[in-house]
Amino acid sequence: MKYLGDRTRDNRALTKTDYEKLGRVVGSITKRANQEYDQLVKENPAYENTVRQVMLRMISLQGGELARRQVLKSELVYSSQDENNRVKTVIERFSQARLIVEGSNSEGEPYVEPAHDALVLGWVQLREWKGKDKENLDLQGRLTPAANDWNKDQGNLWTEEESRLSRLRSVINFEQNWLNKVETDFINKSIEEKRKRLAENEQQRDEALEGQISALTALSEARFQDDQLGALIHILKAARILQQLRNSESQWIQEDIRLRTEVVLRQILSKVKEFNRLEDKDIPLSMVSELSFTSNRAILLLDSQGRFVKLEFTTDQQLILMRDSQRIIRFWQSDGTLVERIPPGFSPVKSSSDGQMIAHFVYRTSQSQQEPKANAIRLMNLEGKQVILQKDERDNLMTFAFSPNGQFIASGGWFGELYLWKTDGTTIQQKQTGAGSLNAIDFSPNGDKFATGSRNGEIRLWDQNGDLLRTIEAHRDAIWGVSFSPDGETLASVSTDTTVKIWKTNDGILLTTLNGHRDKVGAVCFNSDGQILASASDEGTVRLWRPNGSKLKGLDDHHTGSVYAVRFNPKQPMIATTSGQGQLILWSQDGRLLRNWEKGHNGTITALDFSPNGRMFVTAAGDREVKVWKLDDDKDKQDFHAHNLGNHTGESHLPTVFGVSFSSDNQTILLGSGSPEGKGYLELCDSESMSCRIIREYDYQVLAVCFSPDGQMFALGKGDGSVELWRKEEDNFKLLRNFNQHDNLVLVVCFSPDGKLLATGSADKTVKLWQIDNILNNTNSITVTPTKIFAHTDQVTAVRFSPNDDMIATASNDKTVKLWNLDGNLKKTLHGHNDQINALDFSTDGQTLASGSNDKTVILWDLKLELGLDQLIDYGCEWISDYLTNNPNVSESDRQLLCLENFPNLKYDSQKWI
């Protein structure tokens, strides 16, 4: 042991040479190490790990050999105070045993190190630990200096050392790990900073995606008027990205962007009519002059020699036939598949509906004419007998059509002449229309009338004898095509003004205008069931439309301003809406326009109610008029005519009526009104005599009234936040209860269908539900307690019970419709409007809910459908799938919209480092 006491050498520890000279002395050193180690573990098993970690820090691997290492005592400070206490004990005990030595470096920092190479090289326990922890020792050799440098503000965190951080993260999760406090802090800070950087990058990525969503949504709205398919693609892209963010559980989705995207997607799907576009990439279409749906598999064409050629197709599907200015004939399926392309040299012929006769133009040419002009029509039956129809060889015939029974042909010429012939060649009628060239003609399906379109933009309807029935000022420029729908109720027209318009044939009312073409529209036709309308333009496209739109119905084509009232007719499939400054519209329940009074009143119509028998409705407006609209007794007319009610005839001194309600027997109309000075009036009116009487005056305006379903009670809401309940006694009504439970104006009162509940909606943003029995049975109580309270974030404007009493719908200035169970639980919030909602009503079967808004639209919510974001996207992709699949000019990125798999979940690596 003499070498242990030698203080003359610079290094007090034993060298390898000393060890070799010591021989059996080494055994005594490792034996002492084992003794100290065993004693400590006996005292506390936790020392097993402490000794291990302290001693492993005192060795290093140099050239594959173990070597001693000085360890600063600061490196032996751990996060756990218990561990620090144990480390202190280990150092004291091993130092006392002369196994380790303590000292200070040149900077005065205290350290410890093994006292003997023999301890490092010869202690079996330490070598076993080293063998098991070799990877950790390597990692520790890199970690410790990096952590120490960082602790001295001289180094950087390991934010880019992902593999090392991953290993250290698993280490740090073990309670008894080998990391000291500085290393632990270093790793935690590195992980925190890495997560933060990843999160920042992910947030920037997601916010950039949200920016795309907003931009695509705005672009979709801007483009819809002129490019329905393009607008739908843009909003579907926005919705797919939103869906991707949602499915990826992004924490940065902004609620207003989500709602805005869903609202615009729903609105576009409720308005879209175009579903496909036919384009030829190999030989682009030029001006399409002829367009029709084939009626059978065999098609007759006329070749340049005047011979007939028959084409036969194997498909049962109607094909679309078109011929353009290059004289190329093409046949398409409605899904956009090009079936056949016939080169120049052939022209289509028209046949009678029974197939017994065919007809085609006969052309003349002259040296001064670049193009041949048609001046006659050639008719031929199946036996080959032919007739030439011609009245003026100078006239250039522009169009002709067979009558449905095949007995007549009508034609129009360049000089505005209308020709009507029998198919035997007999002239029925020839007249000058005075409207410029007569460019288009079509018979109604039953043959009782035909329509013509002229250069001056007029449509004229004629009876089968050629007598004028009606003139419609249809377009701003020349009309080139007209087509009756198969049911004869509508007529489509196209024009140089680039529009496609659809009209009601019985009264000439414009139903809808289809925009999108960018050049003259030269041809139009319906398919056999009227579900598809094709229009061809000089821009080189044929657009396919569904005139009835999608199954997401909305009423928005004709409103001139905010929609203030919506009501379903309880006995007929009819909806009444009011809009703008006095507009009143009647619609069929599937969204078709029935009647449009542009000036039903001279002011905003804010109140509307149907009589229970459906034969009357009452309207009240800001013009201080109240009108009762009664259905004609003539069932064939089915029209309503207005009658002024009482003295509400529009004089400026009269009060404004805010609420109207019919009694169950159709005889009594309840009115609630208010003067500019704030006075209120309650009136009962007789629907037969049109007389009214005031039964009560108030110091506050009466803003809402409603009869109970049995007509035995009514309720009213006033400007002071109070509600009154009245009951019929003999021939009069008596006030039962006045209760004030709202903090602002009561804007809505509504009874449940069974008459047991009363709902009141207020500007205080609440809807309160009351049990009628509670009100009647507590007449001595000062207050009445509502059964339930429903809340919005802005004033409540409309409340309706479902017909089967299972839920209540509420609407608000917060742009939402909410559906509630009667127990007060919110079932669903409907987002679809861009502005405050003013009106609600359920259809009689309870399957449809109509909502009207300041955004000029009425949404018909199909309550059977679950139309969240996913369902809206699926429906939009279904609508546009043929176009995206078959149109040759669609980009690959647009085609990807059809598959959710093309929008995989985003990666959020920051979540792995939490």
Side-chain angles (χ1 to χ4, degrees):
M1 300 296 287
K2 59 181 179 178
Y3 298 101
L4 297 179
D6 186 354
R7 306 299 182 185
T8 63
R9 296 185 302 176
D10 293 334
N11 189 345
R12 293 170 11 194
L14 295 176
T15 66
K16 184 176 182 181
T17 302
D18 293 335
Y19 171 72
E20 291 172 349
K21 293 179 179 179
L22 281 172
R24 299 187 63 162
V25 174
V26 173
S28 64
I29 294 174
T30 57
K31 180 178 180 182
R32 183 60 183 273
N34 284 330
Q35 289 173 346
E36 292 295 332
Y37 170 69
D38 292 340
Q39 181 61 36
L40 286 169
V41 172
K42 184 177 180 181
E43 293 173 11
N44 185 349
Y47 277 108
E48 179 179 357
N49 183 67
T50 304
V51 175
R52 176 177 181 165
Q53 302 309 332
V54 169
M55 295 308 301
L56 284 174
R57 284 186 178 274
M58 294 188 192
I59 63 173
S60 65
L61 294 173
Q62 297 180 0
E65 295 292 333
L66 282 179
R68 290 176 294 161
R69 173 177 174 266
Q70 286 184 357
V71 180
L72 295 177
K73 286 189 175 180
S74 60
E75 191 180 320
L76 296 172
V77 177
Y78 293 85
S79 300
S80 166
Q81 187 56 47
D82 289 341
E83 182 67 6
N84 288 334
N85 292 336
R86 287 192 291 271
V87 168
K88 182 179 179 182
T89 300
V90 169
I91 292 174
E92 289 175 352
R93 299 277 279 272
F94 272 54
S95 180
Q96 290 170 3
R98 303 293 183 90
L99 297 171
I100 63 175
V101 294
E102 301 180 61
S104 298
N105 62 18
S106 59
E107 297 178 1
E109 298 173 308
Y111 67 82
V112 294
E113 66 174 335
H116 321 283
D117 281 338
L119 184 63
V120 173
L121 298 173
W123 192 16
V124 175
Q125 183 67 65
L126 181 57
R127 296 182 70 86
E128 288 180 358
W129 287 335
K130 185 272 296 183
K132 292 179 180 179
D133 283 5
K134 186 177 185 306
E135 287 188 6
N136 285 338
L137 288 174
D138 292 338
L139 185 57
Q140 180 183 303
R142 296 176 181 273
L143 171 64
T144 301
N148 288 337
D149 288 345
W150 167 78
N151 194 43
K152 297 174 183 178
D153 295 328
Q154 296 176 355
N156 298 319
L157 294 168
W158 277 4
T159 54
E160 303 302 323
E161 303 285 343
E162 183 163 341
S163 61
R164 291 177 184 171
L165 271 185
S166 296
R167 289 174 57 192
L168 290 167
R169 187 181 179 205
S170 62
V171 171
I172 208 171
N173 288 330
F174 288 102
E175 184 177 353
Q176 293 183 338
N177 61 62
W178 49 268
L179 299 170
N180 62 32
K181 186 177 187 308
V182 172
E183 293 163 349
T184 300
D185 291 345
F186 176 77
I187 294 166
N188 285 333
K189 286 293 184 181
S190 295
I191 290 174
E192 180 183 344
E193 183 63 22
K194 183 170 186 63
R195 187 202 62 77
K196 181 180 178 182
R197 291 185 185 183
L198 288 171
E200 287 176 350
N201 292 337
E202 290 160 359
Q203 182 176 0
Q204 290 174 3
R205 178 199 63 196
D206 288 6
E207 288 176 349
L209 289 173
E210 286 191 315
Q212 290 183 39
I213 293 172
S214 296
L216 287 166
T217 300
L219 188 58
S220 174
E221 289 184 292
R223 289 191 63 175
F224 183 81
Q225 181 70 12
D226 298 320
D227 183 5
Q228 292 189 8
L229 291 184
L232 182 54
I233 287 173
H234 286 315
I235 193 61
L236 282 173
K237 284 182 179 178
R240 279 293 194 201
I241 297 171
L242 177 62
Q243 185 183 47
Q244 183 182 40
L245 288 169
R246 185 210 61 194
N247 291 348
S248 304
E249 299 182 358
S250 170
Q251 58 183 309
W252 294 289
I253 298 177
Q254 296 183 40
E255 184 67 6
D256 59 336
I257 292 178
R258 182 189 70 80
L259 292 177
R260 178 71 178 150
T261 305
E262 287 192 31
V263 165
V264 173
L265 177 56
R266 178 185 290 276
Q267 288 178 340
I268 285 180
L269 288 175
S270 70
K271 295 188 293 185
V272 68
K273 299 286 196 300
E274 186 182 6
F275 73 94
N276 207 349
R277 203 171 292 172
L278 309 181
E279 296 174 291
D280 189 339
K281 189 173 184 178
D282 296 329
I283 306 177
L285 295 172
S286 57
M287 294 181 293
V288 175
S289 56
E290 297 184 50
L291 181 69
S292 63
F293 283 88
T294 61
S295 56
N296 49 51
R297 294 185 179 185
I299 307 296
L300 283 179
L301 300 178
L302 187 69
D303 69 11
S304 59
Q305 304 301 315
R307 298 170 299 191
F308 292 106
V309 178
K310 180 185 287 188
L311 292 180
E312 294 191 5
F313 297 96
T314 58
T315 178
D316 291 328
Q317 180 182 351
Q318 269 197 309
L319 298 179
I320 303 168
L321 180 155
M322 65 184 71
R323 182 174 186 252
D324 66 7
S325 60
Q326 301 176 75
R327 302 182 185 178
I328 298 174
I329 297 174
R330 295 174 177 84
F331 292 90
W332 308 75
Q333 292 180 353
S334 60
D335 67 1
T337 302
L338 179 59
V339 177
E340 190 75 48
R341 190 188 295 119
I342 308 297
F346 299 87
S347 59
V349 297
K350 294 183 180 180
S351 61
S352 59
S353 58
D354 59 7
Q356 297 301 304
M357 299 197 73
I358 57 176
H360 63 89
F361 279 129
V362 177
Y363 294 90
R364 71 178 188 279
T365 58
S366 69
Q367 293 181 349
S368 62
Q369 294 174 338
Q370 295 181 349
E371 294 288 337
K373 305 295 183 181
N375 69 338
I377 299 170
R378 178 189 180 199
L379 289 176
M380 179 181 293
N381 62 18
L382 297 180
E383 288 76 33
K385 181 180 180 181
Q386 67 178 29
V387 175
I388 301 296
L389 306 179
Q390 183 182 46
K391 294 298 294 182
D392 184 349
E393 66 178 11
R394 297 170 303 169
D395 198 1
N396 176 29
L397 296 182
M398 303 295 291
T399 182
F400 75 89
F402 273 106
S403 65
N405 61 10
Q407 301 299 309
F408 308 101
I409 280 187
S411 179
W414 177 257
F415 299 119
E417 292 289 325
L418 171 65
Y419 306 99
L420 190 61
W421 289 287
K422 289 184 179 180
T423 51
D424 63 5
T426 305
T427 300
I428 299 175
Q429 184 76 267
Q430 176 183 349
K431 63 174 57 178
Q432 172 57 238
T433 62
S437 63
L438 202 158
N439 303 327
I441 196 163
D442 193 35
F443 274 92
S444 64
N446 63 9
D448 66 342
K449 65 174 76 73
F450 61 91
T452 60
S454 302
R455 185 173 60 192
N456 68 350
E458 288 182 351
I459 293 174
R460 296 190 179 188
L461 294 175
W462 314 81
D463 68 16
Q464 58 188 347
N465 297 315
D467 295 326
L468 183 64
L469 298 173
R470 182 187 300 275
T471 299
I472 304 172
E473 294 182 2
H475 290 271
R476 294 180 287 104
D477 212 327
I479 295 173
W480 295 99
V482 292
S483 177
F484 278 94
S485 61
D487 60 10
E489 294 184 3
T490 60
L491 176 74
S493 62
V494 295
S495 165
T496 303
D497 66 12
T498 75
T499 64
V500 180
K501 296 187 177 183
I502 301 178
W503 310 84
K504 286 179 66 180
T505 55
N506 64 339
D507 55 15
I509 290 178
L510 177 65
L511 293 174
T512 189
T513 299
L514 304 175
N515 295 293
H517 286 295
R518 296 185 296 275
D519 206 337
K520 182 190 88 175
V521 190
V524 66
C525 61
F526 280 96
N527 74 335
S528 59
D529 63 8
Q531 297 303 306
I532 298 176
L533 180 69
S535 60
S537 168
D538 287 0
E539 72 199 7
T541 64
V542 174
R543 299 184 185 230
L544 301 184
W545 317 80
R546 297 194 188 279
N548 296 326
S550 72
K551 62 184 178 185
L552 273 68
K553 295 298 182 183
L555 312 177
D556 55 10
D557 282 344
H558 297 276
H559 292 126
T560 58
S562 300
V563 177
Y564 296 104
V566 176
R567 280 291 182 270
F568 282 90
N569 188 314
K571 295 298 183 182
Q572 300 182 49
M574 178 188 296
I575 306 169
T577 64
T578 70
S579 173
Q581 293 297 308
Q583 185 183 33
L584 172 64
I585 304 179
L586 297 180
W587 312 79
S588 66
Q589 201 158 317
D590 62 3
R592 291 180 295 110
L593 180 71
L594 299 176
R595 190 77 158 82
N596 184 357
W597 291 275
E598 293 286 350
K599 281 295 180 182
H601 280 262
N602 291 314
T604 301
I605 305 173
T606 55
L608 167 69
D609 194 34
F610 271 102
S611 61
N613 63 11
R615 297 189 61 80
M616 293 181 287
F617 62 90
V618 58
T619 56
D623 61 1
R624 295 180 173 82
E625 280 190 299
V626 179
K627 296 181 180 181
V628 177
W629 304 74
K630 296 187 176 182
L631 188 63
D632 287 329
D633 291 332
D634 186 346
K635 293 185 178 180
D636 292 331
K637 291 184 178 180
Q638 286 291 295
D639 200 7
F640 288 87
H641 292 280
H643 309 269
N644 279 106
L645 184 62
N647 66 346
H648 296 279
T649 53
E651 286 80 3
S652 59
H653 67 278
L654 294 172
T656 300
V657 173
F658 300 108
V660 297
S661 181
F662 264 100
S663 62
S664 58
D665 61 4
N666 311 293
Q667 298 300 311
T668 305
I669 302 172
L670 180 65
L671 304 181
S673 63
S675 68
E677 297 78 23
K679 296 292 184 180
Y681 306 93
L682 183 64
E683 296 180 66
L684 290 174
C685 306
D686 188 287
S687 63
E688 289 295 326
S689 66
M690 298 292 149
S691 61
C692 298
R693 60 187 177 93
I694 296 175
I695 63 174
R696 181 66 63 93
E697 297 185 13
Y698 299 93
D699 291 331
Y700 294 90
Q701 293 178 330
V702 179
L703 302 174
V705 296
C706 184
F707 266 109
S708 63
D710 61 5
Q712 297 304 301
M713 288 189 290
F714 66 76
L716 61 94
K718 302 197 296 292
D720 62 350
S722 66
V723 178
E724 288 187 359
L725 190 63
W726 293 63
R727 184 165 60 188
K728 192 172 186 178
E729 294 186 0
E730 297 180 353
D731 292 333
N732 294 311
F733 283 88
K734 177 182 177 182
L735 175 63
L736 293 179
R737 190 66 191 270
N738 183 329
F739 50 98
N740 192 333
Q741 291 291 305
H742 282 286
D743 298 327
N744 210 324
L745 314 175
V746 177
L747 301 174
V748 191
V749 291
C750 180
F751 282 93
S752 62
D754 62 8
K756 295 180 180 180
L757 297 172
L758 175 69
T760 58
S762 168
D764 66 8
K765 307 177 185 179
T766 67
V767 175
K768 296 186 178 182
L769 201 59
W770 316 83
Q771 289 278 358
I772 297 297
D773 287 345
N774 288 348
I775 298 174
L776 298 180
N777 296 333
N778 292 280
T779 54
N780 296 325
S781 175
I782 299 176
T783 61
V784 180
T785 302
T787 304
K788 298 292 177 185
I789 299 177
F790 313 114
H792 278 267
T793 58
D794 207 333
Q795 71 178 28
V796 175
T797 54
V799 179
R800 299 295 284 180
F801 285 91
S802 63
N804 55 4
D805 265 342
D806 65 339
M807 65 178 166
I808 185 170
T810 63
S812 166
N813 283 359
D814 64 13
K815 308 176 189 177
T816 67
V817 176
K818 294 181 182 290
L819 303 179
W820 311 81
N821 291 323
L822 297 185
D823 60 7
N825 292 323
L826 179 64
K827 293 181 63 176
K828 186 184 299 184
T829 299
L830 304 178
H831 298 279
H833 288 289
N834 290 327
D835 208 334
Q836 72 180 51
I837 301 170
N838 301 312
L840 284 178
D841 199 23
F842 279 98
S843 60
T844 53
D845 61 6
Q847 299 300 311
T848 304
L849 178 67
S851 59
S853 165
N854 277 6
D855 64 11
K856 301 183 182 180
T857 68
V858 172
I859 296 177
L860 302 180
W861 305 90
D862 188 338
L863 300 181
K864 302 186 301 297
L865 298 176
E866 182 66 37
L867 288 178
L869 178 65
D870 294 341
Q871 291 79 16
L872 289 172
I873 291 174
D874 289 345
Y875 184 61
C877 289
E878 177 186 344
W879 178 273
I880 206 171
S881 62
D882 285 345
Y883 173 69
L884 293 180
T885 302
N886 298 320
N887 188 287
N889 296 321
V890 170
S891 67
E892 189 58 34
S893 63
D894 288 349
R895 295 190 205 281
Q896 291 181 356
L897 285 172
L898 295 176
C899 295
L900 176 61
E901 291 74 15
N902 295 323
F903 296 83
N905 285 359
L906 302 168
K907 292 184 178 181
Y908 291 89
D909 292 333
S910 62
Q911 303 298 310
K912 298 189 301 185
W913 298 98
I914 294 177

